[in-house]
C-alpha cells in the first residue's frame, strides 16, 4: 500500500518524508558521495541548496564553488576525510603547498557547515617519527578569500599542522578545533564563540606548538577573535608547553600585523606563561627578521583557568573599554550568521 495519504485533494507525506523534503540532496556515505551532491548544487546556479549527509565516512577532497550551499551532517560521526599534505607531489609537477591541501575548501559566499567532522588524515606523527616533517602542513578546512559569510556550526575540525585556514569573514559557533602547529591561521576577520580549541599530543615533542598564526592586514581592525572558548589539551601534553600563537607575516608582506584576541576564555595549564612568541619572515631586503608579539596585535581579556598568566611585555591584556570593542557584530561587520 502507498504510505502517502490524500486529504482534501492534497497529498500528505509521512513525517519522515516531509522532513527529507526539506533537502535538495541527501547523501548516504555507504552508497553516494558528497561530490555528486555538490555537482547538483553547482547546477542550481547559486540558489540556496541544502545537503543532508548521513552518518558515515566520506573519503573525498572537495571544493564548494557556488554560493549559498548548506551542508548538514548527522553529528561527529559524519566524517569528511582526506590526507593531502603540503610536501606531496601534485599532478602538475609541483608540490601541493599549504593552500591547496584542504580536505574541504570553501571558495564561494554564503556557505553553512553544520554537525560534521572535517579531517585531514595525513600521518603527521609518522612523518615526525621518520624525520619527514618538512611540508607537513595539512589543512582540514580552507575558507578562501571569496568565501565571505561562512558559518561553521557544531563541527569538529581535525588535523595537526594548519588545521583551519581562514581568509574571509567567518563565524564559528560551538565547534571543536584540534591541532598542534599554527592550527588556526590566516588573515580573516573571524569570530569563534564557545569553541573548544584542543592541542594534540605528539610523541617526543619538546614543545607543543601554537594555537594561532594570524596574518591580519594592518588596515583591517579585527582578526581572529575567540569569545568564551575553552583551550584544552590531549592527554600527554605537558604544562607550559604551548603558545597562544605567533604573528604570521606571510610572504614577508610588511602590511600584515596579525591579530589574535582571546576574550573571557578558559585556558588549561599547557599554555605558556609568556603567552605569545615571534615568527620569522624575510624582509624586503632579503634579510631574515622576526615579527614579535610587541609589534603585532595579540591580546587577552579576562582569561581564566590554570593557563591564565600575568600581564607582561609579550602577554598584553585589554582594558574593559578596549575589550568592549570586540563583539560579534563589530568583528563580522554587522553579519551574524543567522540572518543569511
Amino acid at each position: 500500500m502507498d504510505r502517502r495519504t490524500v486529504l482534501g485533494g492534497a497529498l500528505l507525506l509521512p513525517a519522515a518524508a516531509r522532513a527529507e523534503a526539506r533537502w535538495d540532496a541527501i547523501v548516504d556515505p555507504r552508497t553516494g558521495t558528497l561530490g555528486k551532491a555538490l555537482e547538483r548544487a553547482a547546477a542550481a546556479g547559486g540558489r540556496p541548496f541544502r545537503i543532508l549527509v548521513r552518518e558515515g565516512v566520506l573519503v573525498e577532497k572537495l571544493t564548494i564553488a557556488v554560493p549559498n550551499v548548506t551542508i548538514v551532517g548527522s553529528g561527529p560521526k559524519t566524517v569528511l576525510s582526506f590526507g593531502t599534505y603540503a610536501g606531496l607531489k601534485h599532478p602538475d609537477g609541483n608540490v601541493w603547498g599549504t593552500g591547496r591541501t584542504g580536505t574541504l575548501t570553501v571558495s564561494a559566499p554564503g556557505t553553512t557547515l553544520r554537525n560534521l567532522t572535517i579531517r585531514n588524515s595525513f600521518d603527521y606523527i609518522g612523518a615526525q617519527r621518520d624525520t619527514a616533517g618538512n611540508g607537513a602542513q595539512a589543512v582540514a578546512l580552507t575558507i578562501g578569500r571569496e568565501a565571505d559569510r561562512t558559518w561553521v556550526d557544531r563541527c569538529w575540525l581535525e588535523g595537526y599542522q594548519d588545521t583551519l585556514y581562514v581568509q574571509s569573514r567567518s563565524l564559528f559557533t560551538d565547534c571543536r578545533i584540534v591541532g598542534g602547529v599554527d592550527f588556526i591561521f590566516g588573515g580573516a576577520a573571524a569570530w569563534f564563540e564557545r569553541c573548544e580549541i584542543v592541542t594534540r599530543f605528539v610523541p617526543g615533542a619538546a614543545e607543543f606548538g601554537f594555537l594561532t598564526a594570524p596574518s591580519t592586514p594592518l588596515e583591517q581592525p579585527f582578526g581572529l577573535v575567540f569569545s568564551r572558548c575553552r583551550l584544552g589539551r590531549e592527554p600527554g601534553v605537558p604544562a607550559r608547553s604551548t603558545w597562544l600563537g605567533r604573528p604570521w607575516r606571510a610572504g614577508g608582506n610588511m602590511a600584515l600585523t596579525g591579530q589574535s584576541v582571546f576574550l573571557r576564555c578558559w585556558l588549561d595549564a599547557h599554555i605558556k606563561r609568556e603567552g605569545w612568541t615571534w615568527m620569522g619572515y624575510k624582509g624586503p631586503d632579503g634579510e631574515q627578521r622576526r615579527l614579535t608579539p610587541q609589534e603585532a596585535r595579540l591580546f587577552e581579556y579576562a582569561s581564566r583557568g590554570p593557563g591564565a598568566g600575568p600581564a607582561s611585555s609579550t602577554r598584553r591584556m585589554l582594558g574593559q573599554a578596549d575589550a568592549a570593542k570586540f563583539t560579534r557584530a563589530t568583528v563580522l561587520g554587522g553579519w551574524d550568521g543567522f540572518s543569511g
Side-chain angles (χ1 to χ4, degrees):
M1 176 182 291
D2 192 340
R3 296 179 60 219
R4 298 175 297 180
T5 304
V6 176
L7 179 63
L11 182 65
L12 300 183
L13 300 176
R18 290 199 303 273
E20 292 196 354
R22 299 172 50 219
W23 306 100
D24 299 289
I26 298 175
V27 178
D28 186 335
R30 297 170 299 179
T31 58
T33 67
L34 181 55
K36 287 294 184 183
L38 289 176
E39 288 177 10
R40 291 179 57 188
R47 70 167 176 82
F49 195 92
R50 293 174 53 83
I51 302 169
L52 174 67
V53 186
R54 301 198 187 285
E55 187 175 295
V57 178
L58 295 159
V59 181
E60 302 181 69
K61 188 180 190 306
L62 300 170
T63 297
I64 300 173
V66 292
N68 305 317
V69 172
T70 295
I71 302 175
V72 178
S74 301
K77 292 185 179 180
T78 299
V79 180
L80 179 65
S81 179
F82 210 80
T84 305
Y85 61 99
L88 182 67
K89 186 65 70 71
H90 188 277
D92 66 11
N94 300 308
V95 295
W96 278 86
T98 304
R100 298 195 289 181
T101 61
T103 297
L104 180 63
T105 296
V106 182
S107 61
T111 297
T112 298
L113 306 172
R114 180 173 292 121
N115 286 343
L116 69 158
T117 294
I118 304 169
R119 173 185 300 151
N120 192 306
S121 60
F122 168 61
D123 183 11
Y124 179 88
I125 289 179
Q128 299 300 307
R129 180 194 60 229
D130 300 336
T131 65
N134 190 32
Q137 299 89 344
V139 179
L141 176 61
T142 297
I143 298 174
R145 299 186 189 282
E146 308 84 6
D148 186 44
R149 295 176 291 106
T150 296
W151 183 16
V152 184
D153 178 46
R154 287 171 280 168
C155 288
W156 289 37
L157 309 179
E158 298 179 354
Y160 278 89
Q161 183 169 351
D162 295 2
T163 303
L164 171 62
Y165 189 10
V166 56
Q167 298 171 279
S168 59
R169 187 170 48 160
S170 302
L171 170 64
F172 298 82
T173 50
D174 300 294
C175 291
R176 187 175 193 267
I177 307 170
V178 180
V181 179
D182 303 330
F183 65 99
I184 303 173
F185 72 111
W191 179 265
F192 298 79
E193 187 169 310
R194 300 183 308 274
C195 292
E196 185 179 8
I197 315 297
V198 181
T199 296
R200 303 198 85 157
F201 175 69
V202 177
E207 288 191 332
F208 283 79
F210 318 84
L211 272 61
T212 66
S215 57
T216 323
L218 177 61
E219 71 276 7
Q220 185 175 301
F222 300 108
L224 308 177
V225 182
F226 300 81
S227 175
R228 303 184 188 277
C229 293
R230 187 175 181 88
L231 280 53
R233 53 178 168 162
E234 290 185 342
V237 175
R240 310 301 176 209
S241 64
T242 305
W243 300 96
L244 290 171
R246 54 183 179 173
W248 178 34
R249 186 158 272 170
N253 184 347
M254 300 299 289
L256 303 180
T257 57
Q259 185 193 85
S260 287
V261 178
F262 289 90
L263 306 170
R264 301 181 180 86
C265 294
W266 185 90
L267 286 57
D268 205 347
H270 63 307
I271 300 301
K272 286 178 174 283
R273 280 294 190 193
E274 302 88 343
W276 312 87
T277 190
W278 58 271
M279 192 171 191
Y281 69 97
K282 188 173 288 188
D285 56 5
E287 294 295 319
Q288 197 67 28
R289 303 183 184 181
R290 293 181 176 184
L291 181 59
T292 67
Q294 294 89 337
E295 297 173 273
R297 295 174 285 165
L298 310 173
F299 299 103
E300 293 171 74
Y301 176 73
S303 294
R304 300 176 293 110
S312 69
S313 62
T314 60
R315 195 163 191 179
R316 293 176 291 176
M317 305 296 169
L318 293 171
Q320 185 174 0
D322 286 328
K325 298 173 184 177
F326 291 84
T327 67
R328 183 197 284 183
T330 56
V331 171
L332 299 180
W335 171 70
D336 65 4
F338 302 104
S339 56

